[in-house]
Amino acid sequence: MAAVSLTTFRYCGWVRDESVEAIARAIHESWCGEQRAAGVAAPPGWDELDESRRNSSRAQARDIAVKLDLIGCAIAPLTGGGAQEFRFTDDEVNYLGSHEHDRWVKERIAAGWRPGPKDPAAKTTPYLVPFDQLPADIAEYDRMFVREIPNLLAVVGLQVIRVNPS
């Protein structure tokens, strides 16, 4: 496929509201699986989540296009084995993981969260710090999300492409 700008795909409707919703659900399901694999009690399923947590996953889904644009990639219709063939480099995973953490910090601060011991009821978390100051296991959650982007997009028939392949 010829290289096409991210703007073309974003505004031609490839990432529609129903796609964002499906990707957001897939993000939440993936995170629940990661929590179970880590031996942590998984959060409630999508239908049991409060709207603020659903909106958080929706915001994360919408930001995928922004992240991809940062590294010269875009979203395109899925063809062949596209989702399985695409791989981010380690540098891209770290860079986009940092970007995801920054997005999450801004989201939390806007929602009234403050630094402190982990206490969702009090809206405090120890993770409102720069990415490079996160504990390794917490930073890895952001990296795992980035690595999962091709599969998340495939859920709605989309794939990651390099706009300027080297």
Side-chain angles (χ1 to χ4, degrees):
M1 173 176 224
V4 180
S5 76
L6 172 64
T7 304
T8 300
F9 284 106
R10 185 181 296 147
Y11 296 107
C12 285
W14 292 114
V15 184
R16 296 183 291 264
D17 286 342
E18 60 270 15
S19 296
V20 167
E21 190 72 10
I23 293 167
R25 283 176 176 259
I27 287 169
H28 181 70
E29 290 170 14
S30 176
W31 188 71
C32 288
E34 291 165 6
Q35 293 294 292
R36 284 190 295 273
V40 177
W46 182 262
D47 294 330
E48 290 78 39
L49 285 179
D50 61 74
E51 198 61 20
S52 70
R53 290 179 72 189
R54 284 189 212 147
N55 284 337
S56 180
S57 290
R58 290 175 185 128
Q60 191 175 12
R62 283 186 199 96
D63 197 59
I64 289 172
V66 174
K67 285 179 183 62
L68 295 177
D69 194 39
L70 291 171
I71 60 166
C73 290
I75 298 171
L78 182 63
T79 57
Q84 294 75 31
E85 293 172 6
F86 186 90
R87 296 284 181 267
F88 293 107
T89 66
D90 290 344
D91 287 343
E92 289 170 336
V93 169
N94 285 323
Y95 178 67
L96 296 180
S98 176
H99 178 83
E100 172 54 28
H101 180 68
D102 291 346
R103 184 205 62 78
W104 178 87
V105 166
K106 289 174 189 166
E107 173 188 288
R108 287 293 188 256
I109 290 171
W113 286 71
R114 304 176 325 275
K118 187 174 182 177
D119 184 348
K123 289 189 169 184
T124 60
T125 177
Y127 308 127
L128 294 178
V129 297
F131 184 74
D132 61 356
Q133 293 177 21
L134 286 172
D137 60 329
I138 301 303
E140 187 58 23
Y141 285 124
D142 292 314
R143 291 185 195 102
M144 285 189 290
F145 163 71
V146 170
R147 288 185 203 102
E148 192 63 17
I149 288 173
N151 295 321
L152 294 168
L153 291 175
V155 166
V156 294
L158 300 171
Q159 67 178 340
V160 178
I161 61 168
R162 295 203 184 271
V163 177
N164 298 313
S166 45

